[in-house]
Amino acid sequence: MISQALLQAILSEYPLPPGGTHGVSHWARVLENGRRLAELTGADLQIVELFAVFHDSRRLNEGIDDGHGMRGAAYARVLRGAHFELDEAAFKLLSEACADHTLGMRQADPTVQVCWDADRLDLGRAGISPVPQLLCTPAAQDLTMIGWAHERSLRRFIPDLVEVEWGIRLDSGGSTPK
Ligand SMILES: [Fe+2]
Ligand SMILES: [Fe+2]
């Protein structure tokens, strides 16, 4: 599980509004998509949860932002050891998942595939419907899964874990730590 200290560290350096399109509620929906997919696929949940909070953490804008995945991976390396522990093999997968999440790839380690699918299932917030053929795993391609995640994405649903696990209270324009 992601610690509140890690979340606060990431948010303290996040250049965009925490309540924005690629901010905290997106990270939390990606995390919950990932939890569902990990249960069905056996993906490494710790890597999936870390991906959820790092992959868009170094965005500089809410549009096309080349290199933000690489910067997210580099930032994870900076915070590793201080705010979370991960062995080298697992860190390599986290790094690959973050760095390449914008490339539209489908072939990768099963845990990396789940990371990418968890993110792609939340495209509805940007007006894009997930296409099964562009998802990596059968678990994500399942139409019930797509429907569940897409509906939440469209209405920018804020999962309870934002407050319960991360201690963050989101309002429309930003966030206030509890
Ligand atoms: Fe991204
Ligand atoms: Fe994302």
Side-chain angles (χ1 to χ4, degrees):
M1 198 157 88
I2 303 298
S3 72
Q4 293 193 2
L6 172 56
L7 245 292
Q8 287 306 325
I10 291 172
L11 267 184
S12 71
E13 300 285 332
Y14 184 55
L16 301 172
T21 305
H22 296 91
V24 172
S25 79
H26 169 58
W27 306 347
R29 287 190 303 274
V30 170
L31 191 152
E32 288 197 331
N33 293 345
R35 281 180 179 168
R36 283 203 165 198
L37 294 174
E39 209 167 287
L40 295 165
T41 61
D44 183 321
L45 187 55
Q46 195 189 2
I47 295 172
V48 173
E49 296 212 357
L50 287 164
F51 168 84
V53 297
F54 275 111
H55 77 285
D56 280 337
S57 67
R58 302 309 295 154
R59 270 186 165 274
L60 299 173
N61 65 60
E62 303 276 20
I64 294 169
D65 181 348
D66 286 336
H68 74 269
M70 299 276 268
R71 294 195 300 274
Y75 191 48
R77 188 170 284 284
V78 170
L79 295 190
R80 181 186 177 198
H83 288 293
F84 69 94
E85 302 292 338
L86 212 54
D87 67 38
E88 197 50 40
F91 189 81
K92 202 162 168 267
L93 293 177
L94 172 63
S95 199
E96 179 188 341
C98 289
D100 295 342
H101 81 271
T102 58
L103 303 182
M105 293 161 60
R106 296 183 62 241
Q107 299 306 319
D109 176 275
T111 291
V112 174
Q113 289 182 309
V114 162
C115 291
W116 293 342
D117 279 349
D119 189 34
R120 289 172 197 170
L121 285 171
D122 197 47
L123 281 169
R125 75 198 192 287
I128 301 167
S129 297
V131 177
Q133 293 82 351
L134 300 181
L135 297 167
C136 308
T137 63
Q141 290 164 341
D142 177 78
L143 294 182
T144 304
M145 175 70 78
I146 291 175
W148 174 78
H150 188 53
E151 186 273 332
R152 287 160 44 110
S153 185
L154 284 174
R155 62 186 165 97
R156 298 186 176 215
F157 174 71
I158 301 174
D160 288 347
L161 76 86
V162 169
E163 191 165 340
V164 175
E165 296 182 22
W166 295 350
I168 294 167
R169 192 166 294 149
L170 276 184
D171 58 40
S172 53
S175 73
T176 315
K178 263 201 299 198

